[in-house]
Amino acid sequence: MEEELLVQTFKVQGRDKLGRKLLRIVGKLFPAKIGEQAVKRYLEGRIFPELGSKPFCVVYFHTDVRRSENFPGISTIRFIYEAIPAAIRDNLEAVYFVHPGLCSRLFLAAFGRLLFSSELYGKVRYVSRVEYLWKRMRRGEMEVPAFVQEHDVELEDRPLMDYGLERDRHCSSLHDAPAMDVSARSMYSLRCIS
């Protein structure tokens, strides 16, 4: 089961306009509860050999990533990054971060250099719409999931979603939610602050 999810999540697919291979990562398909070692084994066995020793780029689709469903956590992402052999890491030319949310932009701006090398942080390129990818990549070289394309259409109709000024369809039920989490765990952590 884990292997099937990883096959859908990570694919070496196509080339950019400069002829570099593309590693496509679909964040929505990444299982939140997965062992770091399983991901490492999959990358070492399937992805790294395909990338070889030539320059490549990563296209990461952040569309519909939800913390509880498909976000493995910062420690897992850092583990994966550190598991990449130096020779392959040196060949990484750019990371295209498609559909970044406001929270992910702010988080990376605040902590990106601390969690990852400044070299990697400098390679991150935010891409708010799929159409902007085609300036750097050939159309049809890489499969773009249907839900990513649908989100792009929604962004065209509601441009303030790009900046976090308007809620997306997944947050519409939060309008009546309390402004503060009053669970026991939350209250305990607030007591520690004061």
Side-chain angles (χ1 to χ4, degrees):
M1 175 84 174
E2 284 182 351
E3 175 102 7
E4 290 174 28
L5 290 172
L6 292 173
V7 167
Q8 294 173 8
T9 304
F10 298 95
K11 283 186 184 173
V12 177
Q13 200 176 53
R15 296 182 180 273
D16 68 1
K17 289 185 176 179
L18 297 175
R20 301 175 294 198
K21 288 184 178 182
L22 299 173
L23 171 57
R24 184 192 79 155
I25 303 173
V26 181
K28 179 181 179 175
L29 304 177
F30 197 96
K33 311 262 188 288
I34 191 166
E36 296 169 344
Q37 292 299 326
V39 175
K40 182 180 177 184
R41 278 191 307 275
Y42 177 77
L43 293 174
E44 288 174 344
R46 287 269 199 73
I47 300 299
F48 298 157
E50 275 190 72
L51 293 174
S53 60
K54 303 224 176 190
F56 71 97
C57 298
V58 170
V59 179
Y60 170 67
F61 292 105
H62 191 67
T63 315
D64 291 346
V65 171
R66 301 286 169 252
R67 182 183 219 170
S68 62
E69 297 170 22
N70 44 27
F71 184 70
I74 295 302
S75 62
T76 301
I77 291 173
R78 185 174 173 141
F79 175 84
I80 293 168
Y81 172 71
E82 290 174 351
I84 300 171
I88 291 176
R89 210 179 309 155
D90 291 343
N91 289 327
L92 177 61
E93 298 284 319
V95 176
Y96 297 101
F97 195 120
V98 181
H99 294 153
L102 182 62
C103 290
S104 55
R105 283 183 191 240
L106 291 173
F107 181 83
L108 283 175
F111 301 108
R113 288 189 175 102
L114 298 172
L115 294 171
F116 307 107
S117 69
S118 59
E119 200 173 302
L120 174 67
Y121 180 77
K123 295 177 182 180
V124 175
R125 307 286 179 263
Y126 296 110
V127 182
S128 58
R129 305 275 165 66
V130 174
E131 70 181 88
Y132 301 143
L133 273 178
W134 307 139
K135 292 178 182 178
R136 307 229 186 259
M137 290 160 215
R138 299 177 191 129
R139 285 183 188 266
E141 284 279 323
M142 178 183 53
E143 178 188 346
V144 178
F147 68 89
V148 173
Q149 294 172 358
E150 290 167 11
H151 186 72
D152 234 36
V153 169
E154 188 175 357
L155 288 174
E156 286 298 319
D157 294 336
R158 300 170 62 194
L160 294 178
M161 282 174 44
D162 279 342
Y163 307 103
L165 299 175
E166 186 176 347
R167 295 174 191 263
D168 68 6
R169 65 184 178 277
H170 297 289
C171 294
S172 60
S173 63
L174 297 177
H175 290 293
D176 298 326
M180 185 172 167
D181 181 10
V182 291
S183 66
R185 190 170 113 202
S186 172
M187 295 308 285
Y188 176 76
S189 64
L190 286 174
R191 281 188 284 149
C192 294
I193 293 172
S194 53

